[in-house]
Amino acid sequence: MAIVGHALSIASLLISLAIFFYFRSLSCQRITLHKNLFCSYVLNSALTIMYLAGVVNDPELVRRNPVGCKVLHFFHMYMFGCTYFWMLCEGIYLHTLIVVAVFAEEQHLHWYYLLGWGFPLVPASIHAVARKTYFDDNCWMSAETQLLYAIHGPIVAALLVNLFFLLNIIRVLVTKLRDTHRAESNMYMKAVRATLILVPLLGIQFVILPWRPENRLAGEVYEYVMHVLMHYQGLLVATIFCFFNGEVQAALKRQWMQYKMQWGQRRKDHCSMRSTSYTATSITEVPAFMYHHDCNSEHLNGRHTDDSELVALKTGETYA
Amino acid sequence: LIIVSHCVSVLGCGPHYQHAIEEFCLAKFKLDMHELDQRHWCNWEDTVELYGELTNCTYLVAVKMGCFWPNQLVDEFFIHVHRHYFHDCSLSGRLLRDPPNRILGPFIVVPILVTLLMTALVVWRSKRSEGIV
């Protein structure tokens, strides 16, 4: 059952990655961080499926206890950490962008790559060393050991720090920037809202895991909720960051309109309605730009603008 | 007379002795070990009393039958018991358990501290790259 969740996650994440790579107009630093986050989720789900199908379902392999299954467990723990540390990178990026630098120029992403891909090796290695020395059971399958906190501890710390940063951003957006930078703070509020929904969803499994209710019905509900939260995370992340994103939806609608126009054009090629179809295309193009592009505001440098100026600036940028 | 008594004791320490210890000692040991959860068979604290009773039992039977103790039959008997009950215990002879808190603590606290340090470092560096100190 967990494998189904992870397979669905991989599918939705790959679709989201395809959308992000195909629509170049969406590209910016925040989307780059999203792409890395989605990659880590895809790898995490793939490794989980490999571990569940290959090791947990195969008692003969566990009895033989080859080194390979411990290596697989190590990489599984590493990718598990990667997903949470990339969420932390998203939070730190938004915090630096909004609170520290106030919508200033592009940041160098090297440190984010280091924190997201490189650092999770540290808790995973410490866990591997401790496990090998003190609790070396077959394939490291046992979940009864407190040595697993060597990985879960840093993850919970990362989630708490992330939550703190996001709440700080909200505080700054609501109190200090509302008067001076209204348009941008509205835009960034949307960006932060998505991340702020996700962080507690990802973290809640660590909080309520020890408290399984005794009541039978409540216990069943608890099992389902925990199952969804733990194994459908990739799907949740892809949905909230990509499918529910206004800009992505606008880009998809634009593309769909273009295809429809092209089919319509091919069918009516022999007719003399060519001129009307050209004007129809330009009319459907314009409303798409009324959506606030939450990435391009990085170029605005915090000037005082209102909505109409914003639209004019964006159309000018794209067509220039 | 001495030769005869020797003959009797030699005969007594043969299959008759083996049968006796299996019936009297091993049966009780089997019952006790089955009451204990199989996962705890490798746990010395749980099994030391039962093992001691088994050893004692074989000694008493040997004394009753006038055999010398320990002897080869007893050795084979215990090898058989080990092969059946203790064959997959780890080298330390202990059930896997967590290390004491003074070792477990640092293994948990150090990664958390390193995480917080690394996060602070990344925040500070990304602040620096903006040109704002």
Side-chain angles (χ1 to χ4, degrees), chain B residues 37-55:
Chain B
D37 190 4
Q38 189 164 359
R39 284 178 298 164
H40 291 268
W41 282 356
C42 280
N43 201 17
W44 187 233
E45 277 107 26
D46 292 332
T47 56
V48 63
E49 275 180 32
L50 303 174
Y51 197 80
E53 271 177 36
L54 181 67
T55 315

Side-chain angles (χ1 to χ4, degrees), chain A residues 37 89 181:
Chain A
L37 178 72
C89 286
H181 299 86

Side-chain angles (χ1 to χ4, degrees), chain A residues 85 88 96 100 105 107-108 111-112 114-115 119 126 130 134-135 137 145-147 149-150 153-154 161 165, chain B residues 96-99 101 103-104 107-108 110-112 114-116 118-119 121-123 125-127 129-130 132:
Chain A
F85 278 93
L88 178 64
T96 308
V100 175
E105 298 297 322
Q107 302 175 35
H108 296 300
W111 288 95
Y112 294 106
L114 186 68
L115 183 64
F119 180 73
I126 292 178
Y134 294 107
F135 203 99
D137 60 320
T145 170
Q146 293 194 333
L147 287 172
Y149 285 123
V161 167
F165 277 152
Chain B
L96 283 174
R97 60 166 56 131
D98 285 333
N101 276 348
I103 298 177
L104 188 65
F107 268 118
I108 295 176
V110 166
I112 295 178
V114 174
T115 303
L116 293 172
M118 186 69 188
T119 308
L121 183 69
V122 172
V123 170
R125 287 301 309 184
S126 56
K127 220 161 80 164
S129 75
E130 298 297 319
I132 299 165

